[in-house]
Amino acid sequence: MNWLRPDHPYAAVSAPDGIQSSVHMLRDGDVSVTTIALSNATGKPIVTTVGDIGITLPLEDRYWDDTGDYSIDRHCNVHLFCGGTCSWALALRMNGRAPHLGLILTEGALADYSVSRDFVHYSNDRGCFVLHPEAMEFAPGQTRTISWTIFPCDSCEDFFAQAAERSAFIDARWNTYVTFPSETAVLRIRPSFRPSQDDASDAVTVNGIPAALEPDGTYTFAFTPSDDDPYTHDEYRDRAGEHTFTVRIGDRTVRTRLFVSAPLDELIAQRVRFIARKQQYRGQNEHLTGAYLPYDNEDRRQYYYAGDDKGNVVNDYNAGRERVGMGLLVAAYLRELDRGIVEDENGDLLADVSMALSGTMPGGEWQPLREELSDSLRDYRSFVERELVDVATGEVFNDAPRDNSYKRMYNAPWFAELYVEFYRLDGDVEDLRIACRIVRWFYEGGGSRFYPIELPILSLCRALEQAGETGLLAEMRDLFLTHARTLAGLGLHYPKHEVNYEQSIVAPAASVILQTAALTGDRDLLAAGFEQLRVLDQFNGCQPDAHLNEVAIRHWDGFWFGKRKQYGDTFPHYWSGLTADIFDLAADLMDDEDAAARYRRRATASRRALLQLFFPDGSASCAYVFPFSVNGERAHFADPMANDQDWALYFTVRHMLDAE
């Protein structure tokens, strides 16, 4: 495998006038060292800011190559961490098979990264990474150095072990990267060198506060975003949002990010209220009445655009497709209000959600909100059955009014899932029969070779069994079994979908196969599902940053679903929740209890990361465009369009309801 893509130069430097650069590379077997010297060639000082200097790192993270194809054996998923002197990169081969590539900074400090990408290949090319050193001051004639070592590694943990051997490395990890105002987050710090206990300048500090030395030689720092925490500064108190913590030991630094979410009960209640009041169409167009639509948070109004009269179709802002996530969330939340939520044995994500039991609600009482949401869901269901689903045949339409001029197979499983939620809410068996018609229509259209997102195999079959619909249960079981065996037979040879290859192709493969394995007890399917799990693993990051930790690599959703139409890494994006659900499902099927516990912890972290897309007032963002810039245009922002992100909260509520 050639880890470097040939269409971009390696370690090419861009810098302000007056800064000269030279690059030296030394290779010893599979280990190589790159050193970049940056020199002030003028007679005056030069002070740079982040972004002024860029160094290219063209790793082969794309879903095509010069042959017009791609290979998971010859391409990689790149996880970047630009957080001070202990910055690094980990490139995991897409097929999950070692060796992988590790890069550890040994001199200098990195602050961020940008992306330079060719839009000709749209969503299939993540682009060339551009590393940005931290802001620096150069005296006349002064030279500063950026240097890194590249080496092979077998896994994420092997990478961290080798990073500690090859550099003065600080391994700093939070026990949770998304926390709540009443919850304490603990940062554990493991330096690869021994800090001086006598020299104050060599003390281990976090934002200038001494960390506690533990008996095992590690250091800890506790953060609780509340008034009574002794480590909390005024600017952190009772504030939801992103917070930065810098670990410093002498001249070595690690900058980590933690996100404080609004209390989960309030966050979800405010979000469903926002959907019902501000994102449900009640205007003059009879075809859209009752629809849940995208919402522009800047203009504070609903948004709908499906194309023009010249045949130019725009699907990602219409009234169907992914927007059904809002209906799923409202339906699941109503179930939650009716049945109550209890803390699961793992103290998982919704441990604080108890409004159904306590009656506490932000801005009002429990019963009025329930009535409001019931009315909203009733109107949405009327819209769906009028414009998007033929309940007699199971056909699912791409948009209102019953428009299937653009054929899309992803849509049907989502609406089948919606009708399963309707059944679980109202107990009407006809809802399950409609769901089965939708599934039947999906398979009649070639669904058994498709990689569907969120096909409700277990939830539908369990509901059919509960309802005593044995005939439909047998039919659905056979359809799902054929589908799972087909995908298992294809193995890692994934057909192209809307993107050539992506996390939401591998996740559906794992989901269909593992759900069917759980349904049938088929051991061959179980083994095939675990093979998919290994490949899915490679997408998730292990960086000490709320935006990146257990967040799957995606890099196009802001363009297709956002207002800014900006390509670039979307960290987080709600489809990361697909991976979380697979981790939990796989854990249920594992014989190794320790491995299962690890996957459940990772699932919790992945689900929590998605809360960064939701804000205390009930507004939301479809994607966070993470890089410093994309093709020179500043990024690192939450897109102002609320569109399809509510799948994330649906995953959260559903997980707890299913755990009861």
Side-chain angles (χ1 to χ4, degrees):
M1 175 174 172
N2 182 0
W3 293 88
L4 299 178
R5 52 189 296 171
D7 54 343
H8 290 272
Y10 171 71
V13 179
S14 60
D17 292 342
I19 298 291
Q20 294 181 347
S21 64
S22 62
V23 180
H24 178 71
M25 288 174 280
L26 178 66
R27 180 167 179 170
D28 181 10
D30 284 336
V31 177
S32 64
V33 175
T34 299
T35 302
I36 300 105
L38 303 167
S39 303
N40 181 358
T42 75
K44 293 184 177 181
I46 297 176
V47 180
T48 64
T49 62
V50 175
D52 285 348
I53 299 173
I55 306 168
T56 61
L57 182 63
L59 291 170
E60 192 65 276
D61 190 343
R62 53 179 174 162
Y63 309 140
W64 70 279
D65 58 26
D66 294 334
T67 69
D69 205 349
Y70 75 98
S71 166
I72 64 170
D73 297 318
R74 300 193 305 272
H75 292 75
C76 59
N77 296 315
V78 178
H79 303 283
L80 291 169
F81 176 64
C82 298
T85 64
C86 298
S87 297
W88 51 267
L90 177 59
L92 300 174
R93 292 176 69 199
M94 290 179 180
N95 63 16
R97 298 189 181 97
H100 306 291
L101 181 147
L103 180 156
I104 183 67
L105 197 70
T106 54
E107 191 170 355
L110 298 178
D112 216 327
Y113 76 93
S114 292
V115 174
S116 174
R117 59 189 291 171
D118 181 356
F119 293 161
V120 171
H121 296 283
Y122 293 102
S123 305
N124 290 308
D125 191 344
R126 192 176 174 192
C128 176
F129 306 107
V130 182
L131 307 178
H132 296 305
E134 289 189 342
M136 293 184 284
E137 180 176 347
F138 294 82
Q142 183 179 11
T143 297
R144 292 184 177 273
T145 301
I146 302 290
S147 184
W148 60 69
T149 298
I150 290 175
F151 52 92
C153 57
D154 292 336
S155 64
C156 182
E157 287 308 314
D158 181 48
F159 165 77
F160 283 120
Q162 291 199 51
E165 294 171 356
R166 297 177 183 277
S167 68
F169 189 65
I170 304 172
D171 186 348
R173 308 188 205 186
W174 292 94
N175 66 329
T176 180
Y177 290 87
V178 174
T179 188
F180 302 105
S182 60
E183 181 181 70
T184 297
V186 178
L187 179 65
R188 186 166 294 275
I189 304 159
R190 299 176 178 85
S192 66
F193 52 96
R194 184 181 297 276
S196 171
Q197 300 301 311
D198 302 319
D199 186 353
S201 65
D202 203 28
V204 180
T205 63
V206 181
N207 284 3
I209 300 170
L213 176 62
E214 302 296 336
D216 63 358
T218 64
Y219 296 80
T220 58
F221 175 83
F223 170 72
T224 306
S226 61
D227 288 331
D228 58 354
D229 189 274
Y231 294 113
T232 304
H233 294 175
D234 289 342
E235 65 267 25
Y236 299 149
R237 291 178 178 169
D238 299 320
R239 181 185 298 177
E242 182 181 300
H243 302 291
T244 300
F245 296 85
T246 300
V247 179
R248 183 178 297 276
I249 308 175
D251 61 356
R252 303 296 291 169
T253 59
V254 176
R255 187 178 62 256
T256 73
R257 270 188 284 237
L258 186 71
F259 185 84
V260 180
S261 171
L264 200 56
D265 55 346
E266 296 180 15
L267 189 74
I268 299 175
Q270 293 287 30
R271 179 61 193 147
V272 292
R273 180 185 284 114
F274 192 101
I275 290 170
R277 294 180 179 179
K278 297 188 177 182
Q279 293 192 234
Q280 188 161 37
Y281 183 83
R282 297 184 177 87
Q284 298 179 356
N285 186 290
E286 61 181 3
H287 294 296
L288 292 180
T289 298
Y292 293 138
L293 298 180
Y295 187 85
D296 185 332
N297 288 296
E298 290 181 327
D299 292 345
R300 297 184 180 180
R301 60 180 302 169
Q302 294 170 12
Y303 185 81
Y304 173 86
Y305 184 66
D308 56 33
D309 294 334
K310 299 179 180 179
N312 297 312
V313 178
V314 178
N315 288 308
D316 297 314
Y317 309 102
N318 71 18
R321 296 164 69 105
E322 283 88 345
R323 266 63 62 195
V324 69
M326 287 182 270
L328 285 162
L329 172 61
V330 173
Y333 184 79
L334 281 168
R335 269 206 296 144
E336 174 191 306
L337 288 179
D338 284 348
R339 297 169 58 189
I341 292 292
V342 296
E343 179 176 343
D344 75 357
E345 61 184 5
N346 300 315
D348 206 339
L349 186 59
L350 290 185
D352 293 330
V353 175
S354 56
M355 78 285 285
L357 302 178
S358 67
T360 58
M361 266 301 159
E365 297 179 356
W366 168 76
Q367 189 59 29
L369 178 60
R370 193 201 180 287
E371 292 175 358
E372 180 180 1
L373 295 179
S374 295
D375 291 345
S376 174
L377 187 63
R378 180 199 62 224
D379 293 344
Y380 178 67
R381 178 168 181 162
S382 295
F383 160 75
V384 166
E385 296 184 351
R386 187 181 67 244
E387 310 291 351
L388 296 181
V389 174
D390 186 329
V391 297
T393 67
E395 181 175 2
V396 174
F397 299 90
N398 193 59
D399 190 20
R402 295 209 168 193
D403 181 358
N404 250 348
S405 57
Y406 185 98
K407 303 293 184 181
R408 194 187 194 223
M409 296 191 70
Y410 284 113
N411 301 338
W414 299 339
F415 285 89
E417 188 162 21
L418 180 66
Y419 276 88
V420 174
E421 281 294 341
F422 287 157
Y423 167 75
R424 296 170 84 178
L425 183 61
D426 61 26
D428 188 345
V429 178
E430 181 60 22
D431 294 335
L432 294 181
R433 295 169 183 153
I434 294 170
C436 291
R437 290 175 204 139
I438 293 172
V439 170
R440 191 181 298 124
W441 179 81
F442 168 75
Y443 283 118
E444 288 171 352
S448 62
R449 294 186 65 85
F450 190 71
Y451 289 64
I453 297 172
E454 281 294 296
L455 182 64
I457 295 174
L458 287 174
S459 60
L460 176 57
C461 288
R462 288 167 178 168
L464 288 169
E465 183 177 23
Q466 178 189 41
E469 292 286 321
T470 55
L472 282 176
L473 174 59
E475 179 190 359
M476 292 298 109
R477 184 184 183 278
D478 288 345
L479 289 172
F480 293 143
L481 188 57
T482 298
H483 191 178
R485 287 176 174 167
T486 300
L487 299 191
L490 291 170
L492 305 184
H493 302 286
Y494 304 101
K496 298 175 182 178
H497 284 62
E498 292 180 348
V499 179
N500 286 351
Y501 176 75
E502 55 167 314
Q503 170 252 359
S504 54
I505 290 176
V506 183
S511 178
V512 170
I513 295 170
L514 287 176
Q515 282 192 82
T516 308
L519 178 68
T520 63
D522 189 311
R523 301 297 295 181
D524 291 336
L525 285 180
L526 185 63
F530 284 157
E531 181 184 34
Q532 299 292 334
L533 177 68
R534 171 172 54 81
V535 176
L536 185 62
D537 258 334
Q538 313 312 309
F539 287 97
N540 271 36
C542 52
Q543 302 96 312
D545 189 308
H547 287 279
L548 305 170
N549 192 269
E550 293 300 348
V551 173
I553 292 173
R554 300 182 65 86
H555 48 84
W556 57 88
D557 302 283
F559 176 83
W560 296 107
F561 296 91
K563 180 179 181 178
R564 293 284 181 267
K565 305 292 290 181
Q566 177 65 281
Y567 269 112
D569 299 346
T570 49
F571 299 143
H573 182 268
Y574 67 89
W575 280 144
S576 282
L578 297 173
T579 299
D581 285 348
I582 300 303
F583 285 174
D584 270 326
L585 176 59
D588 291 341
L589 299 171
M590 287 178 178
D591 296 327
D592 185 332
E593 293 184 3
D594 290 338
R598 286 194 298 273
Y599 272 104
R600 287 193 179 96
R601 287 194 296 269
R602 294 180 64 192
T604 298
S606 182
R607 237 178 248 113
R608 280 197 177 202
L610 306 184
L611 300 182
Q612 296 172 90
L613 297 172
F614 303 91
F615 311 113
D617 65 352
S619 60
S621 169
C622 65
Y624 195 101
V625 185
F626 182 77
F628 179 83
S629 67
V630 179
N631 285 9
E633 185 176 342
R634 281 290 273 123
H636 205 73
F637 66 92
D639 193 277
M641 186 71 75
N643 191 336
D644 49 349
Q645 67 292 315
D646 293 287
W647 284 91
L649 290 186
Y650 171 63
F651 295 150
T652 295
V653 176
R654 181 182 67 183
H655 173 69
M656 280 304 299
L657 285 166
D658 289 347
E660 284 189 317

